[in-house]
């Protein structure tokens, strides 16, 4: 029987793009409690049911499994800090958000994409988790876009759409990747003995798929193409560039070599633009807070997406 490594399996599960919620209820002492969760699913319209998964090791386990109900607050794009607040052991969390008691009695937040106030319908075994099935007693649809989450990082639909639109404006786009593995990034050596990011001209809407094929062929490694990291126009060439965050699997690359983000060969980086990208990546990796750069090869702005949790 194949042994499955839990950490590796968790990382694979993290490839699935989800929204972000805060699940809330009241303790037996009538104190509001809440925690960030992305294991939320709608179940049924008739009757109106939804579910969330709760780890048996959660400090909220006894409270949630004995509560008469709970609420699910689907966070909107601008509520990354709310997610961070309820994902960590922060004191007096509820003092940092605008909330009220919902119609069925659980705390519901303001400015969320939607909230659902539920009675506890059923608890089902789920291995090292339990599945809390709630019956929706009341809800509100805020109509704003929800906050997204994939591979440990937040993303927003609006910002990702802006990046894709900017990059798709040219028929020929230079598409590259910051390819990371275990705290190192891959750099290719060019004909002048300088290092550069792996990149290739991709025509049309091939985008991530075209980059994936190029990186796989070039490195011989399993590659996962993630979120957009940088979009800029090289004014000298007139070409649009788009850079993605990527991860590489195990093995020795056919081309290039991996460098620790703590010891990058900055003096041998081919262009100032590439130097800026890899140094920004190193700095953001150290705090787990990534953004998307928009601009030219010289000037622009980094739009923060969110913090890795």
């Amino acid at each position: 029987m194949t042994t499955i490594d839990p950490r590796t399996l968790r990382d694979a599960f993290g490839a699935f793009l989800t929204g972000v919620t805060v699940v809330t209820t009241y303790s037996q002492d009538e104190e509001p409690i809440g925690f960030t969760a992305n294991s939320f699913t709608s179940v049924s319209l008739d009757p109106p049911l939804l579910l969330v998964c709760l780890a048996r090791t959660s400090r909220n386990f006894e409270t949630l499994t004995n509560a008469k109900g709970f609420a699910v607050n689907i966070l909107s794009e601008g509520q990354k800090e709310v997610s961070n607040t309820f994902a960590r052991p922060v004191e007096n969390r509820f003092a940092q958000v605008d909330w009220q008691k919902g119609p069925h009695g659980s705390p519901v937040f303001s400015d969320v994409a939607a909230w659902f106030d539920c009675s506890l319908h059923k608890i089902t075994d789920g291995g090292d988790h339990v599945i809390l099935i709630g019956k929706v007693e009341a809800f509100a649809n805020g109509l704003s876009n929800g906050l997204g989450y994939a591979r440990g990082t937040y993303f927003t639909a609006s910002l990702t759409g802006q990046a894709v639109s900017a990059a798709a404006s040219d028929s020929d786009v230079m598409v590259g990747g910051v390819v990371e593995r275990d705290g190192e990034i891959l750099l290719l050596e060019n004909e002048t003995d300088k290092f550069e990011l792996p990149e290739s001209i991709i025509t049309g809407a091939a985008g991530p798929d075209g980059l994936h094929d190029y990186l796989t062929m070039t490195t011989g490694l399993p590659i996962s193409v993630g979120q957009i990291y940088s979009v800029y126009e090289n004014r000298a060439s007139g070409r649009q560039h788009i850079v993605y965050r990527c991860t590489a699997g195990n093995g020795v690359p056919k081309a290039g070599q991996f460098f620790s983000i703590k010891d990058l060969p900055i003096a041998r980086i081919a262009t100032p633009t590439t130097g800026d990208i890899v140094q920004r990546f190193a700095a953001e990796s150290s705090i787990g807070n990534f953004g998307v750069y928009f601009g030219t090869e010289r000037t622009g702005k980094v739009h923060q997406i969110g913090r890795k949790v």
Side-chain angles (χ1 to χ4, degrees):
M1 182 176 178
T2 302
T3 300
I4 293 180
D5 177 62
R7 177 59 185 271
T8 304
L9 179 61
R10 180 179 178 179
D11 290 345
F13 282 153
F16 183 64
L17 278 66
T18 71
V20 183
T21 75
V22 172
V23 179
T24 58
T25 190
Y26 280 93
S27 69
Q28 291 183 346
D29 298 328
E30 290 299 310
E31 292 294 325
I33 67 166
F35 62 93
T36 300
N38 64 345
S39 54
F40 160 79
T41 305
S42 59
V43 175
S44 169
L45 293 176
D46 186 16
L49 302 176
L50 55 76
L51 69 79
V52 293
C53 296
L54 177 68
R56 295 182 181 274
T57 56
S58 170
R59 63 179 181 174
N60 299 306
F61 182 82
E62 291 298 326
T63 300
L64 262 296
T65 53
N66 288 286
K68 69 172 185 177
F70 59 89
V72 178
N73 298 274
I74 300 179
L75 301 186
S76 62
E77 288 187 331
Q79 294 183 308
K80 297 180 287 292
E81 290 309 314
V82 175
S83 174
N84 289 334
T85 296
F86 283 84
R88 299 188 176 96
V90 177
E91 290 187 11
N92 203 9
R93 295 171 172 177
F94 282 83
Q96 303 183 42
V97 295
D98 184 22
W99 65 280
Q100 62 183 343
K101 182 176 286 190
H104 192 67
S106 293
V108 296
F109 294 174
S110 300
D111 302 320
V112 291
W115 58 255
F116 304 90
D117 196 4
C118 305
S119 58
L120 183 59
H121 180 72
K122 185 178 181 181
I123 300 176
T124 302
D125 178 68
D128 56 10
H129 283 60
V130 292
I131 302 168
L132 304 177
I133 301 177
K135 181 180 178 183
V136 179
E137 303 291 349
F139 72 96
N141 185 357
L143 301 180
S144 57
N145 289 332
L147 179 63
Y149 193 75
R151 295 198 182 277
T153 303
Y154 298 119
F155 67 91
T156 64
S158 60
L159 190 55
T160 300
Q162 292 175 33
V164 172
S165 297
S169 60
D170 283 347
S171 58
D172 290 338
V173 179
M174 185 68 77
V175 181
V178 180
V179 181
E180 180 191 20
R181 185 177 69 186
D182 298 329
E184 299 181 328
I185 60 175
L186 180 71
L187 296 174
L188 304 183
E189 193 171 13
N190 64 21
E191 63 278 2
T192 63
D193 297 326
K194 298 289 186 179
F195 289 110
E196 56 192 14
L197 293 172
E199 60 181 4
S200 179
I201 296 176
I202 306 294
T203 301
D209 292 336
L211 177 63
H212 175 269
D213 292 344
Y214 163 73
L215 291 174
T216 301
M217 180 180 64
T218 300
T219 67
L221 302 174
I223 297 291
S224 174
V225 178
Q227 302 299 313
I228 293 171
Y229 189 62
S230 184
V231 178
Y232 66 94
E233 180 188 5
N234 186 313
R235 291 175 296 182
S237 67
R239 174 162 284 141
Q240 194 80 24
H241 291 244
I242 180 168
V243 180
Y244 288 82
R245 288 173 53 202
C246 306
T247 56
N250 294 329
V252 178
K254 293 194 302 183
Q257 64 185 100
F258 284 92
F259 292 89
S260 169
I261 60 175
K262 297 180 180 179
D263 189 26
L264 295 169
I266 298 302
R268 292 184 60 194
I269 297 295
T271 66
T273 303
T274 301
D276 290 344
I277 292 173
V278 298
Q279 289 184 91
R280 176 167 69 89
F281 185 83
E284 292 179 340
S285 294
S286 68
I287 59 175
N289 196 20
F290 296 93
V292 178
Y293 173 86
F294 291 93
T296 71
E297 81 280 15
R298 294 183 180 275
T299 61
K301 181 179 179 181
V302 176
H303 297 255
Q304 293 301 323
I305 294 180
R307 184 177 298 276
K308 188 174 181 177
V309 295

